[in-house]
Amino acid sequence: EAEVAQSPRYKITEKSQAVAFWCDPISGHATLYWYRQILGQGPELLVQFQDESVVDDSQLPKDRFSAERLKGVDSTLKIQPAELGDSAMYLCASSFTRDSEAFFGQGTRLTVV
Amino acid sequence: LAKTTQPISMDSYEGQEVNITCSHNNIATNDYITWYQQFPSQGPRFIIQGYKTKVTNEVASLFIPADRKSSTLSLPRVSLSDTAVYYCLVGYTNAGKSTFGDGTTLTVKP
């Protein structure tokens, strides 16, 4: 069964350092999402791509977060500089179209110390 | 997007049927209702989606009354492995544009 791949699974970084997460969506999925999930809460959408274009980044803290999907396939989410409050699970999801079911990866657990 | 309200937690025993109700008083005409399941340290997994009346698949049923202001996820004969957080989402057909609440933590006991 095809899956959304994310790496790394776990990341520990010091505050003020830069950190990056990678996501490889299911082959053929044009829509890609990045979420942040704080422990005990539901996932919060950060950014949505349609192919290589950002269609919604209204909840992305743009002063420190950036996301790209240069060739419309895999994607990278970056935080620079990381802050203690960024500790969370970062989830990637993809769907075939904007209106079809979203499939989630296993996430990257970030701890900022 | 419509706000949803779910119980914070529920307990059940193996073999029982579990019903989790979600309130969504401000649901819009074009909104769908979607349920996701999430295990610790994993991403959410789609369970079921519906618009009205009843939808059933191999793992769950979704009951939606005529006014669509609430919905009930029904899990038949739960097992220990059904212990997870269950999220009710209201909005687009794809959960990517809907809003996750804080979910219901279901604990199944032996």
Side-chain angles (χ1 to χ4, degrees):
Chain A
E1 182 177 302
E3 294 182 344
V4 175
Q6 289 189 248
S7 67
R9 285 295 312 276
Y10 304 93
K11 179 71 177 179
I12 300 174
T13 192
E14 295 182 345
K15 63 180 181 179
S16 80
Q17 295 298 305
V19 63
F21 315 125
W22 178 79
C23 172
D24 189 11
I26 293 172
S27 178
H29 281 196
T31 309
L32 184 145
Y33 311 88
W34 282 102
Y35 290 82
R36 175 173 58 189
Q37 185 173 25
I38 296 169
L39 194 62
Q41 299 181 17
E44 171 196 12
L45 180 66
L46 293 175
V47 62
Q48 177 188 353
F49 289 91
Q50 185 65 28
D51 299 308
E52 68 276 6
S53 301
V54 173
V55 296
D56 184 357
D57 62 357
S58 58
Q59 301 303 312
L60 187 70
K62 298 180 189 63
D63 56 335
R64 299 184 300 106
F65 286 65
S66 64
E68 61 183 15
R69 194 185 183 198
L70 295 177
K71 297 182 179 178
V73 181
D74 58 337
S75 175
T76 302
L77 178 69
K78 297 179 181 177
I79 308 175
Q80 181 175 17
E83 297 181 352
L84 295 177
D86 295 332
S87 294
M89 173 80 85
Y90 289 83
L91 293 160
C92 178
S94 70
S95 60
F96 186 64
T97 68
R98 295 189 193 199
D99 297 321
S100 54
E101 175 190 341
F103 293 84
F104 285 80
Q106 291 194 308
T108 296
R109 169 72 67 188
L110 173 67
T111 302
V112 182
V113 296
Chain B
L1 295 172
K3 178 180 170 58
T4 60
T5 302
Q6 304 174 231
I8 294 174
S9 63
M10 294 181 67
D11 290 343
S12 184
Y13 290 92
E14 282 190 292
Q16 289 188 335
E17 178 184 73
V18 171
N19 295 308
I20 306 174
T21 296
C22 179
S23 297
H24 29 79
N25 291 319
N26 297 322
I27 190 169
T29 303
N30 295 328
D31 285 344
Y32 281 74
I33 300 155
T34 308
W35 285 81
Y36 273 74
Q37 175 192 55
Q38 186 176 27
F39 298 113
S41 298
Q42 293 189 24
R45 185 182 72 164
F46 174 91
I47 300 175
I48 198 166
Q49 183 179 80
Y51 183 80
K52 62 180 179 181
T53 61
K54 176 183 175 181
V55 179
T56 298
N57 62 23
E58 63 275 10
V59 298
S61 295
L62 178 60
F63 299 92
I64 306 168
D67 66 5
R68 305 201 325 124
K69 293 184 183 298
S70 67
S71 59
T72 299
L73 174 72
S74 181
L75 304 173
R77 297 179 299 282
V78 294
S79 64
L80 296 177
S81 62
D82 292 316
T83 294
V85 179
Y86 292 83
Y87 294 98
C88 164
L89 286 73
V90 171
Y92 303 85
T93 52
N94 79 72
K97 288 292 287 183
S98 300
T99 300
F100 285 83
D102 291 339
T104 297
T105 299
L106 171 66
T107 302
V108 180
K109 303 175 181 179

